Amino acid sequence: MTSQDEPAPDSGQSSARRLDLDKDTVERDLVRLVLTVVELLRQLMERQAIRRVERNKLTEEQEERIGMTPMILDDRMTELRERYGLSPEDLNLDLGPLGPLLPRKEGRY
């Protein structure tokens, strides 16, 4: 398709390219996006913490802190999801042929 064949921006034919913002859902959608990114980072941090503990080069205090941080973050994530009426599945973006963004584990995303 050449630039001459593309519909004009206001013609209504390019609705698939436009972002439809509903003022009633913008906040929830923004929170969903932010929580998705935070959940991805939380899972990466959790994997890194497990690797560090398995190397056995940490003090007991460091292991305790590494163990508590993901649990605290998970609790906060649960609170925020509940506040905005989001389920764990709502945070798992579908990347089309690549599959879901977040790996599934034990019935959770």
Side-chain angles (χ1 to χ4, degrees), residues 8 12 64 68 76 92-93 105:
E64 180 73 23
M68 292 299 295
R76 298 301 182 266
N92 199 3
L93 300 177
K105 64 176 188 176

Side-chain angles (χ1 to χ4, degrees), residues 4-102:
Q4 293 174 334
D5 296 330
E6 292 180 15
D10 294 330
S11 70
Q13 296 176 6
S14 63
S15 61
R17 293 184 182 179
R18 282 193 238 158
L19 183 60
D20 185 23
L21 297 177
D22 179 359
K23 66 180 180 180
D24 297 328
T25 63
V26 169
E27 181 179 8
R28 183 177 186 271
D29 292 343
L30 180 59
V31 167
R32 179 180 175 207
L33 178 60
V34 170
L35 290 180
T36 298
V37 172
V38 171
E39 178 61 17
L40 178 62
L41 292 173
R42 187 194 69 76
Q43 289 185 16
L44 292 172
M45 287 173 39
E46 187 176 290
R47 287 186 211 131
Q48 182 64 27
I50 290 169
R51 284 187 204 108
R52 290 185 68 195
V53 169
E54 287 174 347
R55 289 183 191 153
N56 293 323
K57 293 184 179 182
L58 301 173
T59 67
E60 276 189 46
E61 182 181 324
Q62 288 172 324
E63 284 185 21
E64 180 73 23
R65 196 169 15 147
I66 284 176
M68 292 299 295
T69 302
M71 291 185 337
I72 292 168
L73 185 53
D74 187 49
D75 289 344
R76 298 301 182 266
M77 289 287 294
T78 300
E79 289 173 16
L80 288 168
R81 277 195 330 266
E82 288 173 357
R83 180 182 303 167
Y84 287 93
L86 297 167
S87 69
E89 294 83 15
D90 291 331
L91 304 184
N92 199 3
L93 300 177
D94 180 9
L95 301 176
L98 297 176
L101 174 66
L102 303 172

